[in-house]
Amino acid sequence: VIALVPFLNMEGTYSAQIFTKQAVDVIKGHPYADKPLFLYFANQVVHTPYQAPEKYIRACAGVGDTKRRMHCAMSKVCDDNLQDVVEALQDIGQWNNTVFLFMTDNGGQTSSGGSNWPLRGGKLTVYEGGVRGLAFIHGPSVGIPQGTSTDALIHTVDWLPTLVTGIAGKPLQHPPPNSTDAKGSSLVPVDGHNVLSELTGGDRIREEVLLQF
C-alpha cells in the first residue's frame, strides 16, 4: 500500500514532472520478489492547461504557430517522462519483465494546437480525428513480433481482458447483471474483449464499437 501524502513546497515545479518522479519512485521501491507491480501512470501532458517549462518551449522555437509551439513543447515533456519511466525499469532489471502499454484516450484538440491530419475532426467529436488514437505495447511475454502494427478495431475497454486474460493468462469473471460477490458488492459484466489474437496477426474480434457523445 502506498501512502497518499500531499506534495508540499513545489512552487515553480512542472506538475507532470512531479507525477513522473513519483512513478519512478514507485518503480524503484517496489518489492518485485514478493509480488508483481501494476502501475497506472496517467501522464498529464499533452492537456490543458497548455504550459511547459521554458527549455522545452525554446527547443520548439522553429514552430511558427504559438499554439503548435506549445503543443510541441508539451509533447517533448511527455517523451522525457516516458524515457524516465523506461530507464527506471531498466536500471532495476525489470524492463524485460514488464508489459508496457502506452495509449491516448482521444484525438488532439484542434482548437488548441492539436492536429489529427489526415483524419477529420478532433477531441469532443465522433469523427475519426476525435475517437481514433495511437497505442503501442512492449514486452517479451506479449508474444507480438517487434515492429508489428495493426489497424484492427480496438476499444479502450479491451485492454483489461487483453492484459489479464490474453497476456497474464488469468480468468476474468463475467457475472450477470445485478449479481453480487461474497461481500455483497454489485458486479457488472466486463465490456471489453481479449484482442491479443488481433495484435499477433490472428482473427479479428470486433466489427463495431459503441460511440456515445
Side-chain angles (χ1 to χ4, degrees):
V1 177
I2 300 173
L4 299 178
V5 295
F7 287 102
L8 302 176
N9 303 317
M10 291 293 178
E11 183 73 24
T13 304
Y14 195 57
S15 58
Q17 294 171 330
I18 296 176
F19 300 142
T20 302
K21 181 182 182 304
Q22 181 72 7
V24 169
D25 289 346
V26 169
I27 289 170
K28 291 189 173 182
H30 185 75
Y32 294 91
D34 299 330
K35 58 183 178 180
L37 170 67
F38 174 81
L39 175 64
Y40 172 72
F41 174 37
N43 205 347
Q44 198 179 18
V45 287
V46 175
H47 201 277
T48 53
Y50 294 105
Q51 302 169 352
E54 187 61 33
K55 73 171 186 177
Y56 291 98
I57 298 175
R58 289 197 300 268
C60 296
V63 180
D65 182 84
T66 55
K67 291 182 178 180
R68 291 291 293 160
R69 188 183 311 129
M70 185 59 68
H71 204 281
C72 167
M74 297 180 77
S75 295
K76 287 183 176 293
V77 174
C78 181
D79 286 345
D80 282 357
N81 290 351
L82 292 179
Q83 181 178 352
D84 289 345
V85 170
V86 171
E87 288 181 349
L89 290 164
Q90 292 172 334
D91 289 346
I92 61 173
Q94 288 293 332
W95 175 242
N96 290 326
N97 192 36
T98 296
V99 176
F100 188 94
L101 170 65
F102 176 84
M103 62 169 291
T104 182
D105 56 352
N106 48 252
Q109 177 60 278
T110 55
S111 63
S112 301
S115 174
N116 307 296
W117 187 89
L119 303 179
R120 180 185 183 186
K123 183 178 180 179
L124 303 179
T125 77
V126 292
Y127 294 121
E128 281 194 90
V131 300
R132 183 177 178 181
L134 296 175
F136 72 79
I137 189 168
H138 171 276
S141 62
V142 177
I144 304 174
Q146 185 173 354
T148 299
S149 62
T150 179
D151 61 354
L153 189 62
I154 299 174
H155 193 281
T156 302
V157 298
D158 295 332
W159 287 119
L160 173 62
T162 300
L163 293 171
V164 174
T165 303
I167 296 175
K170 303 295 183 181
L172 270 178
Q173 300 299 319
H174 293 253
N178 302 319
S179 66
T180 59
D181 62 11
K183 296 181 181 180
S185 301
S186 296
L187 298 174
V188 296
V190 176
D191 292 322
H193 299 279
N194 173 11
V195 296
L196 183 61
S197 65
E198 295 196 36
L199 301 177
T200 54
D203 295 335
R204 297 268 173 137
I205 305 299
R206 278 190 178 274
E207 295 182 355
E208 62 182 13
V209 295
L210 174 66
L211 300 178
Q212 182 177 1
F213 184 73

